[in-house]
Amino acid sequence: MKRKITLKDIARELEVSISTVSKALKNSEEIGIDTKDKVQAFAKLYNYRPNNIALSLKNKRTKNIGVVIPDIVHYFFTTVFRGIEQYSNQKGYNVIVCVSDESFDKEVINTELLANGSIDGFVMSLSAETQRKGDFHHLLEITEQGIPLVLFDRVDDKVSCDKVILNDTEIAYQAVKKFLANGRKNIALVTTESYFNVSEKRAEGYEEALSEANIPARPELKLVLPFRDVNESEIRQFFGTAKIDAVLCVNEIFAVQCMAVVQKMGMKIPDDIAFIGFTDGILSKYVQPTLTTVAQHGERMGEVAAEMLIERIEAEIDEEKPFRTKIVEGTIIERESTVN
């Protein structure tokens, strides 16, 4: 008996990407005829069967929800998962969580693993690689099969589904206005690569507040860091070459790293330089000085996402509701990094 194989097995054997295999099996015009023939022949030889839970969704429910998060390092994602689990358990649903580790391939594998009849719907935040590649075929396949999907935080307009987001632009605007009200003029932005939708929205709020105060957004006051493996020397060079008296960081990890560097360089926080970071996590409360943060209310975001998903799951089969985007309002929590 031939063993059961997965998209990952086919991709490895034929030395192509998981995305290519998936598209070839769907007979996509994006894939060349030779590649499609090779993939389809291999799949037939090993009796590959694509996951399809559309029929099972029409006939029964598993009372399981699949959750895919980008990582477990960022405190925010753990709080969102807690909110999803608490609400889902109250409604009689179990939660199965997978971590994409910011990888497109792992995200595809996770969705394949879960979409095999064992879950009723997905809650997901896009991985860094998925946003960079702009390839959402695996999510489009899910929605085309009638499997409910809710995206949170990291979302994309190309995927038609329910979404839950933070008011990123508005709350970043408010953070910069707070700096300006305290007499700060040389305000820097420490952010990620532009393909992160949340970072782009926060940058828009930063620039809007500066523009309103007739202060140009200067390129030398913007530091773009990788989402992992940050080099301290890059941070040191940035703060050593530009005159900066305040910094907005798009996450608390960046903020804590930058605070440590500037203090090593002899600057005093907040006297010489003030900091605000996103995510009101454990780091923010215990770093010295404590960090002023934008609380993203992850548990609330998780509750809203779970509520929207379960409403979709339990809706009548022929009941079509327009997709909605719900916004969770962030809150600025002041601590020692902005207040003496």
Side-chain angles (χ1 to χ4, degrees), residues 28-319:
S28 170
E29 294 181 357
E30 296 178 41
I31 307 301
I33 294 175
D34 290 345
T35 301
K36 276 196 282 193
D37 289 346
K38 183 168 61 174
V39 169
Q40 291 173 6
F42 189 92
K44 183 177 182 180
L45 176 64
Y46 285 92
N47 199 32
Y48 172 78
R49 290 291 182 269
N51 295 317
N52 189 340
I53 73 168
L55 290 176
S56 67
L57 281 172
K58 290 179 181 178
N59 298 323
K60 62 181 180 179
R61 298 193 185 113
T62 66
K63 304 295 282 189
N64 294 328
I65 288 173
V67 178
V68 183
I69 58 176
D71 67 45
I72 54 175
V73 173
H74 286 278
Y75 177 81
F76 168 69
F77 291 117
T78 62
T79 60
V80 174
F81 174 68
R82 188 181 304 132
I84 294 169
E85 187 174 46
Q86 288 176 350
Y87 184 88
S88 300
N89 290 167
Q90 290 171 6
K91 295 295 183 179
Y93 285 79
N94 299 308
V95 178
I96 303 170
V97 63
C98 292
V99 181
S100 66
D101 198 27
E102 302 289 14
S103 163
F104 170 78
D105 285 351
K106 284 187 179 180
E107 186 174 292
V108 173
I109 292 167
N110 287 338
T111 55
E112 181 192 44
L113 173 69
L114 294 173
N116 63 0
S118 61
I119 63 159
D120 296 333
F122 281 95
V123 177
M124 183 184 297
S125 187
L126 300 173
S127 73
E129 284 192 358
T130 299
Q131 290 199 296
R132 178 175 58 81
K133 291 166 72 76
D135 188 343
F136 309 107
H137 77 277
H138 54 303
L139 303 183
L140 299 178
E141 288 173 9
I142 287 171
T143 56
E144 285 171 3
Q145 288 178 9
I147 305 173
L149 168 68
V150 177
L151 291 179
F152 73 89
D153 191 52
R154 300 185 193 171
V155 304
D156 195 282
D157 291 339
K158 298 184 187 70
V159 184
S160 296
C161 67
D162 292 315
K163 302 177 178 76
V164 189
I165 59 174
L166 189 75
N167 63 330
D168 287 296
T169 301
E170 172 61 23
I171 198 65
Y173 168 87
Q174 291 179 21
V176 175
K177 292 286 284 185
K178 184 171 290 291
F179 283 142
L180 293 167
N182 291 334
R184 312 282 177 169
K185 301 292 184 182
N186 301 299
I187 304 170
L189 175 69
V190 178
T191 186
T192 57
E193 291 89 345
S194 61
Y195 51 79
F196 284 97
N197 69 294
V198 292
S199 297
E200 278 296 278
K201 294 295 184 183
R202 292 166 193 176
E204 288 174 10
Y206 162 84
E207 292 172 3
E208 183 180 338
L210 291 180
S211 176
E212 192 176 275
N214 295 315
I215 299 174
R218 292 149 48 197
E220 66 269 23
L221 294 186
K222 181 178 180 181
L223 174 62
V224 178
L225 295 174
F227 59 86
R228 55 174 51 144
D229 300 326
V230 173
N231 189 331
E232 183 177 311
S233 63
E234 189 176 356
I235 297 175
R236 182 178 289 271
Q237 181 180 6
F238 176 73
F239 286 102
T241 57
K243 182 182 178 182
I244 299 169
D245 58 17
V247 187
L248 176 65
C249 298
V250 298
N251 61 55
E252 72 173 355
I253 293 177
F254 284 179
V256 169
Q257 289 171 321
C258 290
M259 286 169 63
V261 170
V262 301
Q263 288 181 101
K264 288 179 185 177
M265 296 171 67
M267 300 182 204
K268 293 182 180 180
I269 303 171
D271 296 344
D272 301 324
I273 185 168
F275 282 86
I276 297 178
F278 276 71
T279 304
D280 186 39
I282 295 173
L283 290 176
S284 302
K285 297 176 180 70
Y286 292 103
V287 68
Q288 288 298 318
T290 53
L291 175 65
T292 294
T293 58
V294 173
Q296 295 174 255
H297 305 297
E299 284 197 35
R300 176 59 185 156
M301 187 173 286
E303 290 171 3
V304 173
E307 181 181 13
M308 295 176 80
L309 182 66
I310 291 172
E311 282 181 5
R312 286 282 177 192
I313 292 169
E314 298 185 348
E316 296 298 325
I317 297 298
D318 57 355
E319 184 181 353

